[in-house]
């Protein structure tokens, strides 16, 4: 292919990626968005194969990676999607690092001068350290989300100062590499090694409550790493695709922080309420709660005019989404208006609850975001909370609370609240939930799937 034909093909692929993001902005067009993304990637891959002599090796690698991806995708549970996403981010970052190492080692194979221009060195420096931090940070996120590592913040004395010193030293070696007239492997390798370590140290003090922000942040990092390498390779498609991922991830991180009333810098600097939250979780006061059975809950919902279901991570763990759909259908058959309320950070990743409900084929028009449904709680007969905790905690309205100001679903304003949980344990923020002790609240203890199935039988 000619240079102009290649540029045109990459431009077309980039347009498909933009259309993919547009399609993914709504559940109704998500399938079409995924299709656009696959078509764009197919065009990009085929174009790349036409301009390289190593197409056999590339196809072999694609076959191996594709086979692994297909096997993992078929086996992974929906509850494991957050850690799978984190792991995929790590691979994107690592790929950027490997490409940068290859470009520094053999610039001619990438169409670069033997002595790398300063612009290329800057791009490789940025792409490498962002990619390295993305890889190591994503590995920690994967370990925390999968339960292989404690989700609690891991902190130690002088942590922030150590991170700052390492960041300054990393940038220093990066500048040394940038200003070197010849390839300076010492500076490049040291900078890369420090970036890997810094990625670990930045993520370990972040607690489970902030994991949705961490996932979207790492998603953004992986995009910027790809864009940086794209500049070095002179590949416009990689630049555009990386920029799309980077900017969309950054916007999503902002949305997540806003949804939790958390400054982005605060998330990066430590765990969610790691000090005050722990104190607030248990002040020694004995509180009483009212409990009931699944049959009691079914009776109340069956005789209500309106019911709002609030799904949380407990629903995901119990894999109860299909049972919940059956429950909603039974209530609809009795003339009950049933809707689902989604908090932006419910679960362990952005959109986690939306994905689960979509898998169960619950109609999209019944699934409403927090801003759309919050004003309706005060006019609702029954709210059924399934495994959610911090996102319905009225403590967010109490000055001095570690989550004060965090936007929540106003479940406490409904006439009756029923909460399905395994126990009275606190959520990710480590806080007791005042909702559980209100006179209008009835706790139903047990596995969410089993409890919902019992409700369906009772109806």
């Amino acid at each position: 292919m000619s240079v102009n034909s290649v540029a045109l093909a990459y431009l077309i692929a980039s347009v498909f990626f933009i259309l993919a993001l547009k399609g993914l902005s709504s559940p109704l067009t998500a399938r079409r968005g995924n299709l656009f993304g696959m078509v764009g990637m197919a065009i990009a891959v085929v174009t790349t194969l036409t301009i390289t002599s190593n197409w056999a090796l590339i196809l072999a690698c694609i076959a191996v990676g594709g086979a692994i991806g297909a096997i993992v995708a078929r086996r992974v549970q929906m509850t494991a999607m957050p850690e799978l996403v984190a792991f995929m981010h790590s691979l994107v970052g690592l790929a950027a690092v490997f490409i940068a190492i290859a470009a520094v080692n053999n610039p001619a194979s990438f169409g670069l001068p033997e002595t790398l221009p300063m612009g290329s060195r800057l791009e490789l420096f940025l792409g490498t350290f962002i990619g390295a931090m993305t890889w190591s940070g994503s590995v920690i996120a994967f370990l925390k989300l999968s339960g292989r590592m404690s989700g609690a913040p891991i902190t130690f004395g002088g942590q922030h100062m150590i991170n700052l010193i390492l960041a300054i030293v990393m940038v220093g070696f990066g500048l040394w590499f940038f200003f070197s007239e010849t390839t300076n492997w010492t500076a490049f390798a040291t900078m890369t090694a420090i970036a890997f370590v810094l990625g670990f140290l930045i993520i370990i003090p972040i607690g489970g409550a902030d994991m949705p922000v961490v996932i979207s942040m790492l998603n953004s990092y992986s995009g910027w790493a790809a864009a940086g390498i794209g500049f070095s390779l002179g590949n416009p498609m990689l630049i555009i695709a990386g920029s799309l991922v980077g900017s969309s991830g950054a916007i999503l991180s902002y949305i997540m922080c806003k949804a939790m009333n958390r400054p982005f810098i605060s998330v990066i600097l430590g765990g969610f309420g790691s000090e005050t939250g722990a104190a607030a979780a248990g002040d020694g006061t004995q509180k009483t709660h009212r409990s009931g059975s699944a049959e009691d809950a079914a009776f109340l919902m069956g005789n209500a005019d309106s019911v709002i279901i609030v799904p949380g991570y407990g629903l995901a763990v119990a894999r109860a989404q299909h049972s919940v759909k059956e429950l909603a259908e039974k209530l609809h058959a009795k003339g009950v208006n049933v809707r689902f309320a989604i908090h932006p950070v419910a679960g362990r990743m952005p959109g986690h609850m939306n994905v689960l409900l979509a898998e169960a084929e619950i109609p999209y028009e019944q699934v409403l975001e927090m801003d759309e449904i919050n004003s309706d709680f005060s006019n609702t007969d029954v709210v059924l909370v399934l495994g959610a905790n911090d996102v319905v905690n009225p403590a967010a309205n109490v000055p001095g609370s570690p989550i004060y100001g965090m936007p929540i679903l106003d479940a406490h304003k409904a006439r009756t609240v029923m909460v399905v949980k395994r126990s009275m344990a606190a959520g990710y923020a480590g806080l007791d939930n005042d909702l559980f002790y209100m006179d209008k609240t009835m706790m139903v203890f047990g596995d969410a799937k089993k409890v919902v199935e019992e409700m369906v039988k009772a109806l």
Side-chain angles (χ1 to χ4, degrees):
M1 295 177 68
S2 66
V3 175
N4 289 338
S5 297
V6 170
L8 178 60
Y10 280 150
L11 179 60
I12 293 173
S14 300
V15 170
F16 273 105
F17 290 147
I18 294 172
L19 293 174
L21 276 183
K22 174 64 176 176
L24 291 170
S25 64
S26 168
L28 296 174
T29 57
R31 286 182 180 272
R32 186 171 62 200
N34 271 324
L35 180 61
F36 282 143
M38 290 187 284
V39 171
M41 184 56 68
I43 294 173
V45 171
V46 171
T47 303
T48 302
L49 291 175
T50 62
I51 60 175
T52 180
S53 58
N54 291 326
W55 58 268
L57 179 60
I58 294 174
L59 286 176
C61 292
I62 290 176
V64 173
I68 295 173
I71 293 172
V72 172
R74 288 183 64 86
R75 292 181 178 179
V76 69
Q77 298 293 333
M78 292 305 296
T79 51
M81 285 303 295
E83 53 258 43
L84 179 64
V85 171
F87 188 71
M88 287 193 295
H89 291 164
S90 73
L91 296 180
V92 175
L94 194 60
V97 174
F98 283 153
I99 293 172
I101 292 173
V104 172
N105 181 61
N106 189 2
S109 63
F110 292 90
L112 300 172
E114 194 63 36
T115 300
L116 288 168
M118 294 188 72
S120 296
R121 274 178 270 165
L122 176 62
E123 293 152 6
L124 289 170
F125 157 53
L126 293 174
T128 302
F129 90 76
I130 295 175
M133 290 176 63
T134 300
W135 180 81
S136 51
S138 296
V139 168
I140 294 296
F142 168 78
L143 294 174
K144 282 176 172 280
L145 289 168
S146 63
R148 294 174 172 85
M149 183 177 184
S150 172
I154 300 175
T155 59
F156 52 86
Q159 189 169 35
H160 299 322
M161 182 58 65
I162 291 174
N163 289 349
L164 177 61
I165 293 172
L166 285 176
I168 293 173
V169 173
M170 179 188 71
V171 172
F173 276 100
L175 293 174
W176 184 18
F177 170 74
F178 173 67
F179 287 111
S180 299
E181 295 183 359
T182 59
T183 302
N184 190 330
W185 275 106
T186 300
F188 182 80
T190 305
M191 178 267 294
T192 304
I194 294 176
F196 278 125
V197 174
L198 196 56
F200 284 120
L201 295 178
I202 286 176
I203 302 301
I204 60 172
I206 300 177
D210 287 325
M211 273 301 128
V213 178
V214 172
I215 290 178
S216 59
M217 176 192 72
L218 293 170
N219 179 42
S220 179
Y221 286 178
S222 67
W224 297 126
I229 298 302
F231 278 106
S232 300
L233 305 182
N235 189 317
M237 192 278 300
L238 192 55
I239 296 170
I240 295 173
S243 298
L244 288 172
V245 174
S247 57
S248 60
I251 292 170
L252 187 57
S253 297
Y254 168 77
I255 293 173
M256 293 298 105
C257 287
K258 186 178 179 181
M260 297 189 299
N261 194 37
R262 296 272 286 152
F264 181 75
I265 297 301
S266 175
V267 174
I268 300 305
L269 291 181
F272 194 124
S274 55
E275 295 178 3
T276 56
D283 56 6
T285 303
Q286 292 293 326
K287 300 179 181 179
T288 58
H289 63 270
R290 183 165 63 97
S291 62
S293 66
E295 289 76 14
D296 297 331
F299 176 80
L300 290 172
M301 287 188 291
N303 288 279
D305 291 325
S306 58
V307 171
I308 294 179
I309 300 176
V310 179
Y313 188 66
L315 176 142
V317 172
R319 304 172 191 171
Q321 59 268 32
H322 296 284
S323 300
V324 170
K325 180 192 178 184
E326 188 177 359
L327 173 66
E329 290 175 341
K330 293 288 186 183
L331 291 172
H332 273 297
K334 286 180 171 286
V336 181
N337 179 23
V338 180
R339 291 172 295 168
F340 294 81
I342 306 296
H343 192 281
V345 295
R348 291 193 177 184
M349 67 178 288
H352 196 182
M353 296 300 105
N354 302 74
V355 171
L356 289 173
L357 298 183
E359 184 202 15
E361 298 183 349
I362 290 172
Y364 299 130
E365 59 270 16
Q366 295 179 17
V367 181
L368 302 175
E369 300 298 326
M370 178 175 67
D371 294 339
E372 299 175 297
I373 200 170
N374 242 5
S375 60
D376 293 347
F377 278 103
S378 57
N379 299 317
T380 300
D381 293 324
V382 177
V383 169
L384 176 63
V385 180
L386 296 170
N389 201 321
D390 300 321
V391 298
V392 292
N393 193 342
N397 300 321
V398 179
S401 167
I403 61 172
Y404 174 64
M406 170 181 167
I408 61 169
L409 291 166
D410 293 331
H412 61 283
K413 294 183 178 180
R415 298 183 181 92
T416 301
V417 181
M418 296 181 297
V419 181
V420 178
K421 280 176 60 71
R422 291 177 182 273
S423 68
M424 296 294 290
Y428 283 149
L431 301 175
D432 209 357
N433 194 332
D434 296 339
L435 177 68
F436 301 163
Y437 305 100
M438 290 184 171
D439 293 337
K440 65 172 68 176
T441 301
M442 180 176 74
M443 304 296 298
V444 183
F445 296 109
D447 176 84
K449 183 178 180 180
K450 293 180 180 178
V451 170
V452 173
E453 287 175 348
E454 290 173 5
M455 292 179 181
V456 171
K457 292 178 182 178
L459 285 172

